[in-house]
Amino acid sequence: MSNVFIAFQTNEETRSIIEAIADDNPNAIINEQPAMVKIDAPDSLTIKRASIEEKMGRDFDLQELHVHLITLSGHIDETDDEFNLSWLN
Amino acid sequence: MDMKVAAKKLGLKERYAAMTRGLDWETTYQPMDTVYPYDKFEGIKIHDWDKWEDPFRLTMDAYWKYQAEKERKLYAILDAFNQNNGHLGVTDARYINALKLFLTAVTPLEYMAHRGFAHVGRQLRGAGARVACQMQALDELRHAQTQIHSLSNYNKHYNGFHDWRHMHDRIWYLSVPKSFFDDAVTAGPFEYMVAIGFSFEYVLTNLLFVPFISGAAYNGDMGAMAFGFSAQSDEARHMTLGLEMIKFMLEQDPANLPIVQGWIDKWTWRGVRMLTIVGMMMDYMLPKRVMSWKEAWEIYFEESGGALFKDLARYGITIPKCVAQATIEKEHITHQAWTTFYQYGAAAAFNTWIPEKEELDWLSEKYPNTFDKYYRPRLEYLGEQAKQGKRFYSTTLPMLCQCCQIPMFFTEPDDPTKICYRESDHNGEKYHFCSDHCKEIFDHEPEKYVQAWMPVHQIYQGNCFKPDVDPTAEGFDPLAAVLDWYNIQFGRDNLDFEGSEDQKNFDTWRQTAKSNG
Amino acid sequence: MAVVAVQAYTGEVRDRVENFHGNQLLYIGWEDHLMIASPLAFLFPPTMRFGDVLEKALPNAFGVHPEWEKIDWNQAQWFKSGQAWTPNFNQTLAENGLKHKDVLRFRTPGLTGIKGTCS
């Protein structure tokens, strides 16, 4: 089993995004570092648009993630509703 | 009467298909091989370019929208940082030297990456891959521009930033990153994609941008944090492109595997060698440290790279052989590199120093197996000498590796007290290397590396003096003439941090900032 | 192996001896003394006496090391491309068989660097 990870800049928008990720991925480990937050999760991680919208109280397009993203690892599968990171092996 | 039906909004996957498929055509006036002359000679076999997928499914319209937003955020932070004299908020002026190295070594590479992806974005015959490469070409240009903007602010206050472009083509240590990229852009388009898109972006940029930039933030530099993370936000897309290219080649034809593996092996090592300098910056040049190079290597290479290679095993890809050596070296190379820069501190466009006692203690703690045993006595001795007014500057040029161009300070993997010497003969000429892996890269394509512009040899050939200089004149000082050609101002840009103009200015400005003086 | 290229490819040898104006490169490293971080590159005429390398060039380059003064040159061991090698100090580099870009190392038995760390 390998970890996937994703890291965001620390700011007001990503606070909601990270809360949503933590809720949807109970295995995820949230690691706060200077100016950034790195999230590691075993095998896969799912980011759900609906959960982020719930936290933010506004519409959210998952492609807005690009603005705050620092880095990631794993294969990406993205639709309008979900952004998925996973290892297949 | 016609009913107006609201057009159903396309989903992400359909939008991507609509924006990247059917945009091109099979040419008829000229054969396709003439229109795309460079995407076959490397031996990579592609049967169906339509199988190419960009997992982010980023279309041009969305690209412009989000990039514009990134730029607005970035420049707002840079402006605020500059208006508020943010540079005086950094922990210590020694930190600025890490930025000097970063901005003079990496920024020109961003521009080269732009050129490389612009080229590949023309040469691949699949439209989806071309669109992704063109976006990356624009990203890289953006990175170069934002870093130059940042540099211009530091240049108002600190030495060593004043002629970065000129220096990039001349200074000995900048030849390391320059030759790395020259090697990549002179390869074919597929090798370039593996070199930069995969090995560098996916396997290694995390080490360049993430812990170091987080460290910049930790040291109070919001300017570097802003351009660094803004760049890295594009890297996530670039990494994905690099990984996609690997998967695509491996899925298209089994004959592609050995070629791709060879490139991964080569470029992982080329990148690992170049990142020695980044590791040194993390361990020695950040007054407040987030993590050691060894820890960063373990998280971002061993753990994350390990997961990646484990995943790619299903295509037959194996972890590069050089990783075994790099794993041993993680406990050594930053110390070896810093003592080298320290001794050549008269020929560098930044200041060097011996770490303070608490910093040496931190290194002892982070490198329990090696620091006290091999490196601390060396640094302490040099520090004592400096205190007695005998600061060590070497005036004899170092021997360089023909492949990575780094001075030959790397030691044998099984013996950190012995320099690692390797050599090859090619057409009656000798070539020297720092490692088995650099030698292997040379032996695979010697005709490429015999052309290397080796800074030390160029100095000895007399090619590194200004045109009006007469090296036969009485009292000719070659080091001074070389520094003049580099446009390094002796006594301002170089030498020890202790007593430097940057140190004095920073202290004075800090005092002014704290009181009415 | 040949460079993978669109057409026949040969590279210009940038560091051939003809480019050094009658001189040749010689690399020299001092084993177990890594305070001087890497082997050094020297430019010498092939007619230079090997003893002059030792007496005139090396002190400038390595003399800063605290153990330099302690070297017993009669005990020193020399290696060329890693193989044991015996220099003749009164002969020239050429007569000693030293060619452009040869690499020499010398070991000074009993001297193990700063605090015995091979520094």
Side-chain angles (χ1 to χ4, degrees), chain B residues 265-266 269-270 273 320-326 328-329 401-404 408 410-415 418-424 431-445 449, chain C residues 105:
Chain B
D265 291 353
K266 168 183 171 181
W269 184 250
R270 295 285 271 123
R273 270 293 178 253
K321 277 178 299 178
C322 67
V323 169
Q325 182 170 343
I328 295 170
E329 289 185 342
C401 171
Q402 184 79 25
C403 177
C404 68
M408 297 253 303
F410 297 101
T411 48
E412 289 285 357
D414 60 356
D415 186 353
K418 296 269 176 286
I419 296 286
C420 184
Y421 293 83
R422 299 290 183 272
E423 62 181 65
S424 292
Y431 299 92
H432 299 273
F433 311 97
C434 69
S435 57
D436 289 329
H437 309 292
C438 275
K439 173 177 156 62
E440 214 168 273
I441 291 167
F442 175 93
D443 289 346
H444 186 65
E445 292 185 306
Y449 301 96
Chain C
R105 290 180 242 182

Side-chain angles (χ1 to χ4, degrees), chain B residues 498-511:
Chain B
E498 196 57 42
S500 66
E501 197 172 74
D502 279 2
Q503 182 191 34
K504 285 179 209 149
N505 285 339
F506 186 77
D507 287 347
T508 310
W509 295 332
R510 264 267 178 98
Q511 283 308 318

Side-chain angles (χ1 to χ4, degrees), chain A residues 34 69-71 74-75 80 88, chain B residues 12 202 206 214 232-233 247 311:
Chain A
L69 193 58
I70 293 174
T71 179
H75 300 287
D80 287 311
L88 307 175
Chain B
L12 182 60
Y202 206 106
N206 277 326
S214 182
Q232 191 65 16
S233 71
K247 291 196 288 186
D311 188 83

Side-chain angles (χ1 to χ4, degrees), chain B residues 51-107:
Chain B
K51 289 277 178 351
W52 171 274
E53 275 280 347
D54 171 7
F56 273 127
R57 302 196 172 84
L58 198 63
T59 53
M60 260 308 168
D61 56 335
Y63 174 79
W64 291 126
K65 181 175 149 193
Y66 293 119
Q67 293 304 97
E69 197 170 332
K70 285 183 191 177
E71 288 283 274
R72 279 193 298 271
K73 287 170 94 80
L74 167 71
Y75 282 102
I77 297 172
L78 283 187
D79 282 348
F81 183 74
N82 296 343
Q83 282 172 348
N84 196 31
N85 271 329
H87 66 96
L88 292 177
V90 303
T91 41
D92 177 344
R94 288 183 304 166
Y95 163 78
I96 306 287
N97 290 288
L99 267 192
K100 293 177 194 175
L101 195 45
F102 189 97
L103 290 169
T104 55
V106 175
T107 303

Side-chain angles (χ1 to χ4, degrees), chain B residues 363-377:
Chain B
L363 290 165
S364 292
E365 184 199 318
K366 293 294 182 184
Y367 293 92
N369 302 321
T370 56
F371 190 67
D372 287 352
K373 196 169 168 190
Y374 302 110
Y375 305 109
R376 187 163 183 157

Side-chain angles (χ1 to χ4, degrees), chain B residues 176 180 195-196 199-201 203-205 207-208 263-278 293 297 301 322 326 333 404 406 438 441:
Chain B
V176 174
F180 172 95
I196 306 304
S199 293
F200 196 66
E201 298 278 356
V203 185
L204 300 166
T205 52
L207 286 158
L208 176 65
W263 289 334
I264 291 177
D265 291 353
K266 168 183 171 181
W267 286 99
T268 301
W269 184 250
R270 295 285 271 123
V272 162
R273 270 293 178 253
M274 190 167 81
L275 288 187
T276 302
I277 297 175
V278 178
W293 168 253
W297 174 267
F301 192 90
C322 67
I333 53 172
C404 68
I406 298 175
C438 275
I441 291 167

